[in-house]
Amino acid sequence: DQQVKQNSPSLSVQEGRISILNCDYTNSMFDYFLWYKKYPAEGPTFLISISSIKDKNEDGRFTVFLNKSAKHLSLHIVPSQPGDSAVYFCAASESGSGGSNYKLTFGKGTLLTVNP
Amino acid sequence: ETGVTQSPTHLIKTRGQQVTLRCSSQSGHNTVSWYQQALGQGPQFIFQYYREEENGRGNFPPRFSGLQFPNYSSELNVNALELDDSALYLCASSLNTGTQYFGPGTRLLVL
């Protein structure tokens, strides 16, 4: 039973355009969400996070949107660059269980390819 | 500032053997979490150690065990290896319940 779902295994965009990666969750107790990026032969790298008290968080080219009623979040990358090509993981946690970054539950990931 | 390091990078074992994986946490971090990432899947939480005590566990059998040392480094031990234990094992460190920073992982192959 997957509690965090990334339904698009892959996404291809042109350099300079917007990349939108989507994530859905089923556990209503999740209240903290994160995005990680992973290159081959490296561990996941933290990108950006959002608490359920917000609906948007921005950091440079990266923006995460949270729609609690739909149990949906998305990561927007604008403008996309070839160096953004990687696997992107959505993760969620229940802060009441021990803190906002306790026991992360991950989706299966989306492979983003940004073409020059 | 030194990041999270893991050793070894790759390991091949046979079914029934035991394995120990090691993790050095990022400087200043006191919490270590271990995850298993099977091929084509996202990382799955195994357990977390905070100040040398287990601070929560995922759905993994008791043959998966761990330790955290006074310098906050950690070990993951797996006994009686099974073929399905073949995976990338990721260690992440954090300061208390702050953002988790991952190491490069240890790729384990069980034959």
Side-chain angles (χ1 to χ4, degrees), chain B residues 6-111:
Chain B
Q6 292 186 243
S7 63
T9 54
H10 295 83
L11 203 50
I12 300 175
K13 291 284 188 178
T14 55
R15 200 169 46 179
Q17 283 189 312
Q18 178 265 342
V19 69
T20 297
L21 310 182
R22 294 178 175 82
C23 171
S24 290
S25 57
Q26 185 168 313
S27 176
H29 287 181
N30 56 10
T31 303
V32 171
S33 304
W34 286 92
Y35 293 81
Q36 180 197 65
Q37 186 180 10
L39 204 59
Q41 304 293 316
Q44 272 201 289
F45 177 76
I46 303 175
F47 41 56
Q48 183 181 82
Y49 278 84
Y50 171 66
R51 293 187 175 180
E52 302 178 59
E53 298 284 333
E54 188 179 287
N55 184 41
R57 189 178 183 91
N59 294 326
F60 281 82
R63 59 189 185 83
F64 285 77
S65 63
L67 279 175
Q68 188 178 31
F69 299 99
N71 66 355
Y72 302 125
S73 66
S74 177
E75 283 183 357
L76 164 65
N77 298 290
V78 187
N79 292 322
L81 283 166
E82 300 177 0
L83 298 179
D84 284 349
D85 296 332
S86 295
L88 179 67
Y89 288 85
L90 293 162
C91 163
S93 76
S94 60
L95 176 60
N96 301 324
T97 56
T99 301
Q100 294 184 28
Y101 294 91
F102 284 83
T106 294
R107 188 160 295 283
L108 172 65
L109 177 62
V110 182
L111 301 175

Side-chain angles (χ1 to χ4, degrees), chain A residues 4 11 22-24 32-33 36 42 57 77 93 110-111 114:
Chain A
V4 176
L11 174 68
N22 294 303
C23 178
D24 297 295
Y32 196 80
F33 305 90
Y36 281 83
E42 292 184 15
N57 190 25
I77 306 173
S93 73
T110 296
L111 175 61
V114 180

Side-chain angles (χ1 to χ4, degrees), chain A residues 47-64:
Chain A
L47 273 177
I48 191 168
S49 61
I50 187 167
S51 163
S52 61
I53 62 172
K54 293 183 160 186
D55 54 19
K56 176 182 172 181
N57 190 25
E58 246 178 298
D59 183 1
R61 296 187 297 116
F62 301 91
T63 303
V64 56

